[in-house]
Amino acid sequence: LGSLANDPKATEDYTKETDELIARVGTMQQAGRIDEAVEEMLVLEKKCRTSSDAISTSKLLCKICQMYYDVKEWSKLKEHIVLLAKKRGQLRRAIMDMVHLAMGWLDGLDKEKKLELIGCLDDVTAGKIFVEVEKARLTMMLSQMKEEEGDVEEAANLLQEVQVEAFGAMEAREKTEYILEQIRLVIAKKDFVRTQIISKKINPKLLDKEEFQDLKIKYYEFMVVYWLHEKKFLEVCKCYLSIFNTARVQADESKWSAALTAHVIYLVLAPYDNEQADMLHRLSTLEAKKLDKVPVFQTLIKLFLRKEITAWPLKDDATLKGHLVFQDKPHEGASARWDMLKKRVVQHNIKVISEYYEHLHTARFCELIGLADKEAEEELSELVCSKFVYAKIDRPAGQIRFGQKQTYTDRLNNWSDSITKMLDLVENSCHLIQKEQMVHAARSKLKPKK
């Protein structure tokens, strides 16, 4: 019952006949009677196929292909692969085994024959869910060949359309590697819109597993490239934080140091908001021990946390400028990032000034932030437009007024609050006076009569 036990759908077992025929065609192959041997196998193949004997059918299909491969008859090999796969009612198991066998030959072929066989197998696997993983692997091979030829755009176009995230038969790691390869190619093609779309196919929680650590680092390195293109430094710093928190990186001081320092710089470069300020405070507290080993970057965090004016250029600007963030390799735009650091220092200084001053002369303001009159006005105007600070410039008088202008509603609310506080104080005072009067009355009763 061998074949019947393994394949419940089989109505008849042709295992014995198949084994005998395969042994006989081996002798015919040595005698050069290939076509005659194939004709005999095709007759038995039809019987096996109509009886749903998948194992015997698979053996026959693989033997036919193997014979043509052994004698290097490529045209007949490709012809029979397509012919056998498209036969009426062909069994899934047989097609899968034949495709697996043919894919095993690809690495040993020259470029031209490899392309022809990939094209043939691509036709066979098209539209068949049970060989979708094999089709995806073939597409990957073709894409790699196109990239080796220097046609990155065509390589990306081939790979980006494969929806591997929906493949149930593909293992999670292979699926993730496939999607990362798609991201790499679309980034190389400078298609950043598609980069964002493809990146959402990966679940970040999956990358937290121990066996996915190398892929996690690779994923976030690609996302750094994307967010730098979008000029969203807060997202870039979050990517470096994820890399820093990876166990493999934590085990190597040189790696966590590089990730931590990059995280610090991009966090400082990010526009000021509640989230950025919160991340700065948490970083200075939670990673204090590791920051002690990189004192220059610890000082940089403290400069932005303190409510003090910071002079430009910075004390350690030579060390900071030597960091990879401010180099054009691996990521372009180093000079723009350095200018942005200066801009963030100026914005920090303006915020500090706005908290200490209500009125300030323009000349003194320019002196404090170290900019010319026009540049200072531009920086302040930009911050006011983004509602970072509230200020009003009186050019003829040369004065700046900080603070938000109160509306009539605000004034009425303040007056109401003040009245409420005053009435609360009066009420508390009355309670205290009444308490003292009661205590005094009780004491007078307790005094002995003379």
Side-chain angles (χ1 to χ4, degrees):
L1 287 175
S3 194
L4 289 170
N6 293 329
D7 193 348
K9 292 182 181 180
T11 57
E12 213 169 329
D13 185 8
Y14 286 96
T15 303
K16 185 179 178 182
E17 292 87 340
T18 302
D19 292 340
E20 288 175 357
L21 180 58
I22 288 174
R24 191 165 66 251
V25 298
T27 308
M28 296 171 72
Q29 183 181 357
Q30 291 175 0
R33 296 157 57 194
I34 304 293
D35 292 335
E36 187 181 339
V38 169
E39 287 298 326
E40 284 193 37
M41 283 191 286
L42 286 174
V43 173
L44 183 58
E45 182 270 336
K46 183 177 181 180
K47 292 179 182 179
C48 297
R49 172 165 42 88
T50 52
S51 302
S52 298
D53 187 354
I55 295 174
S56 298
T57 309
S58 174
K59 287 179 181 177
L60 291 168
L61 263 61
C62 291
K63 184 61 180 177
I64 292 169
C65 294
Q66 187 68 54
M67 287 172 65
Y68 281 125
Y69 174 75
D70 291 340
V71 296
K72 309 299 181 188
E73 291 194 23
W74 304 110
S75 59
K76 288 188 177 180
L77 172 63
K78 290 183 290 179
E79 179 187 339
H80 277 79
I81 287 174
V82 175
L83 177 70
L84 293 168
K86 291 187 176 181
K87 278 185 177 290
R88 180 182 176 83
Q90 189 58 273
L91 305 174
R92 292 184 178 188
R93 165 76 181 272
I95 295 174
M96 287 175 69
D97 289 347
M98 181 176 66
V99 170
H100 285 159
L101 177 66
M103 285 179 70
W105 300 328
L106 289 170
D107 291 334
L109 300 177
D110 59 49
K111 186 177 177 182
E112 185 180 349
K113 289 186 174 63
K114 187 175 181 179
L115 276 171
E116 289 176 1
L117 188 54
I118 287 175
C120 175
L121 292 173
D122 194 55
D123 290 340
V124 168
T125 55
K128 297 180 176 67
I129 295 175
F130 56 92
V131 283
E132 61 185 2
V133 175
E134 287 74 15
K135 181 172 174 60
R137 290 170 183 161
L138 289 167
T139 308
M140 173 71 82
M141 290 180 191
L142 193 58
S143 174
Q144 289 171 349
M145 292 175 73
K146 290 291 182 184
E147 188 180 8
E148 287 169 5
E149 292 173 2
D151 193 352
V152 177
E153 187 169 352
E154 180 62 25
N157 291 340
L158 282 168
L159 208 63
Q160 70 190 20
E161 300 300 335
V162 183
Q163 309 295 329
V164 288
E165 68 277 5
F167 292 0
M170 188 178 278
E171 291 183 2
R173 183 177 178 85
E174 185 182 358
K175 198 180 292 185
T176 307
E177 287 173 345
Y178 204 102
I179 295 171
L180 287 175
E181 184 66 13
Q182 290 178 324
I183 294 172
R184 185 185 69 81
L185 285 172
V186 293
I187 286 175
K189 198 179 75 166
K190 306 292 184 187
D191 187 352
F192 291 100
V193 174
R194 197 172 289 274
T195 301
Q196 187 190 23
I197 294 168
I198 296 173
S199 67
K200 289 181 178 179
K201 295 178 181 179
I202 294 179
N203 184 0
K205 290 182 180 178
L206 176 71
L207 299 175
D208 290 333
K209 293 182 180 179
E210 189 175 350
E211 63 270 22
F212 285 85
Q213 287 185 15
D214 56 330
L215 301 182
K216 178 181 178 180
I217 295 168
K218 194 175 179 181
Y219 169 74
Y220 283 110
E221 284 174 349
F222 289 149
M223 294 314 296
V224 164
V225 176
Y226 171 72
W227 291 119
L228 279 175
H229 175 266
E230 298 295 314
K231 292 184 173 57
K232 294 188 177 180
F233 295 121
L234 188 63
E235 297 298 330
V236 175
C237 86
K238 287 178 182 177
C239 291
Y240 277 112
L241 182 60
S242 298
I243 293 172
F244 171 74
N245 288 330
T246 306
R248 183 176 292 188
V249 173
Q250 288 285 334
D252 188 338
E253 185 174 342
S254 61
K255 288 181 179 178
W256 69 250
S257 176
L260 180 61
T261 51
H263 170 63
V264 170
I265 292 174
Y266 282 114
L267 184 56
V268 166
L269 292 178
Y272 177 84
D273 59 15
N274 292 334
E275 186 180 7
Q276 189 256 11
D278 180 57
M279 288 180 74
L280 275 173
H281 280 95
R282 277 189 293 162
L283 182 64
S284 64
T285 306
L286 299 177
E287 302 298 341
K289 289 184 179 179
K290 284 188 168 64
L291 285 170
D292 287 339
K293 296 182 180 180
V294 281
V296 172
F297 299 91
Q298 187 178 39
T299 305
L300 183 64
I301 292 174
K302 288 178 179 177
L303 288 176
F304 281 85
L305 288 176
R306 289 174 187 159
K307 292 185 178 180
E308 297 176 7
I309 290 176
T310 302
W312 182 270
L314 300 174
K315 182 182 176 182
D316 301 305
D317 65 337
T319 308
L320 289 170
K321 210 161 190 176
H323 195 276
L324 282 175
V325 171
F326 299 114
Q327 304 295 320
D328 279 321
K329 289 183 179 180
H331 307 299
E332 296 179 355
S335 59
R337 289 192 286 274
W338 184 254
D339 293 339
M340 183 58 72
L341 178 61
K342 181 182 178 182
K343 188 182 187 74
R344 297 300 180 222
V345 170
V346 170
Q347 289 178 348
H348 167 75
N349 291 341
I350 293 173
K351 183 168 177 62
V352 171
I353 291 169
S354 69
E355 291 180 4
Y356 284 101
Y357 288 89
E358 287 185 2
H359 298 275
L360 187 67
H361 285 285
T362 308
R364 177 60 176 159
F365 177 73
C366 295
E367 183 185 342
L368 287 171
I369 64 174
L371 292 178
D373 192 5
K374 187 176 180 182
E375 291 176 342
E377 188 176 317
E378 286 176 358
E379 288 292 341
L380 182 59
S381 300
E382 185 180 334
L383 292 179
V384 170
C385 290
S386 62
K387 296 185 178 179
F388 185 74
V389 295
Y390 294 94
K392 215 171 186 181
I393 302 173
D394 185 350
R395 280 182 180 169
Q399 286 194 345
I400 301 169
R401 180 192 293 273
F402 291 102
Q404 191 172 5
K405 184 180 179 181
Q406 285 190 329
T407 62
Y408 296 114
T409 307
D410 293 332
R411 290 182 181 179
L412 283 170
N413 288 337
N414 288 338
W415 177 83
S416 176
D417 290 340
S418 299
I419 294 294
T420 304
K421 287 178 182 177
M422 184 188 73
L423 292 174
D424 287 341
L425 286 171
V426 170
E427 189 177 357
N428 287 334
S429 301
C430 290
H431 281 304
L432 289 171
I433 292 168
Q434 190 177 5
K435 180 183 174 183
E436 287 298 322
Q437 287 175 343
M438 291 170 68
V439 169
H440 181 73
R443 284 177 179 171
S444 63
K445 289 179 181 179
L446 291 173
K447 285 182 181 179
K449 294 180 180 179
K450 293 181 180 181

